[in-house]
Amino acid sequence: MAGLVGLVGLVVGFGLQVGSRKLREPGAFPLHQVRIEGVLRNLTEADFQPVVQEYLGQNFFIANLDALHTALAANPWIEEVTVRRWWPDIIEVRLHERTAFGYWGENEMVDVNGHRFRPSVLRQPGPWPRLAGPDGREKALIKTYRETYILLDRVGLKLVKLVQDERRAWWLTLDNGLEVYLGREQYEQRLRRLVEVYPRVLATQIDRIAVLDLRYVNGFAVRWKAERPAPAAG
């Protein structure tokens, strides 16, 4: 009797081994579909085709989805991605695309969480604000830009660029080309001075001003745009 039980166990074990081997054969249970879930703004499903195409036709049970996850996560626009199998032949990709805030420096962008990245494509229409500053100051500049934009907008000025240099001095650029230098200290105080004097003193001459320096305690300095030379006598 014991011998019979042992024989039955051996047969069952052999059957399970064969069945497992059959399940893992390369041509068995092929994957036929990739399902993309998520809001796409700067990406399209076509962007993922070169990556996911090689997984179609692979065995449902042994396809290396960890490698697929790594390949998808390498896209600069992907902030978060999960990959899973759905029986009988589906790969589901759930992704969260970064929400861009604007440009950073010359060759990068920064998202709303202060993460810098280098996108290979930008499909979402701008205009995008421009930021630049020391490493590690990304979140601080985004916060300052938002607050400054709101304050300047009250007097009809539109901020398009915010720079903090290595000395921690601040520069603003407005959509009319005016550059405003606020220096390192008393940023908010100097900015509010600009908001106060602009409607009363500067608005009527703004097209003639190239640079406005607000570092002075009781006033400001102006650098005027170069005068156009008079036409030569003919």
Side-chain angles (χ1 to χ4, degrees):
M1 187 66 177
L4 180 58
V5 171
L7 180 60
V8 170
L10 182 62
V11 171
V12 171
F14 178 76
L16 291 174
Q17 183 179 8
V18 171
S20 175
R21 189 182 302 124
K22 288 288 186 181
L23 290 176
R24 300 171 67 83
E25 287 181 353
F29 305 99
L31 291 164
H32 289 141
Q33 180 184 353
V34 176
R35 188 164 61 203
I36 308 283
E37 302 285 346
V39 177
L40 301 180
R41 296 177 298 271
N42 292 283
L43 296 172
T44 68
E45 292 194 18
D47 294 323
F48 305 113
Q49 290 306 314
V51 178
V52 303
Q53 194 68 33
E54 62 182 274
Y55 289 85
L56 297 180
Q58 291 190 23
N59 184 294
F60 177 91
F61 296 102
I62 65 173
N64 188 350
L65 298 193
D66 287 340
L68 176 58
H69 178 277
T70 299
L72 293 172
N75 188 300
W77 277 112
I78 300 299
E79 182 173 34
E80 185 177 338
V81 60
T82 59
V83 181
R84 61 187 299 182
R85 310 167 211 263
W86 280 103
W87 180 260
D89 60 357
I90 298 174
I91 297 176
E92 181 187 77
V93 177
R94 289 184 174 269
L95 58 87
H96 186 262
E97 184 182 308
R98 294 188 189 284
T99 301
F101 182 82
Y103 294 105
W104 184 275
E106 296 297 325
N107 303 309
E108 294 181 294
M109 296 193 76
V110 62
D111 68 19
V112 294
N113 297 314
H115 177 88
R116 285 155 57 180
F117 63 108
R118 294 175 182 261
S120 56
V121 63
L122 178 60
R123 295 188 175 97
Q124 193 174 359
W128 298 95
R130 291 188 173 274
L131 306 178
D135 292 345
R137 295 284 295 165
E138 294 84 1
K139 289 184 179 181
L141 261 74
I142 289 174
K143 180 176 183 293
T144 301
Y145 185 96
R146 285 172 166 159
E147 295 170 349
T148 303
Y149 186 98
I150 292 172
L151 196 59
L152 293 179
D153 186 61
R154 295 175 184 173
V155 292
L157 297 174
K158 183 178 180 180
L159 178 65
V160 296
K161 185 177 181 180
L162 175 67
V163 175
Q164 186 179 40
D165 64 25
E166 293 298 330
R167 296 176 58 253
R168 299 296 196 268
W170 294 95
W171 283 90
L172 314 180
T173 303
L174 309 183
D175 66 338
N176 56 14
L178 175 66
E179 294 187 2
V180 182
Y181 185 41
L182 289 92
R184 291 185 296 175
E185 302 173 354
Q186 301 178 340
Y187 178 90
E188 184 175 352
Q189 180 179 338
R190 292 170 179 175
L191 185 64
R192 290 189 179 277
R193 189 193 312 158
L194 170 62
V195 172
E196 180 183 346
V197 302
Y198 173 76
R200 296 187 292 105
V201 180
L202 300 172
T204 59
Q205 304 185 73
I206 200 68
D207 292 337
R208 298 176 53 215
I209 301 174
V211 178
L212 189 63
D213 187 343
L214 291 167
R215 292 176 296 166
Y216 299 87
V217 176
N218 297 316
F220 53 86
V222 170
R223 190 175 80 202
W224 303 98
K225 293 180 180 178
E227 296 286 346
R228 291 185 178 181

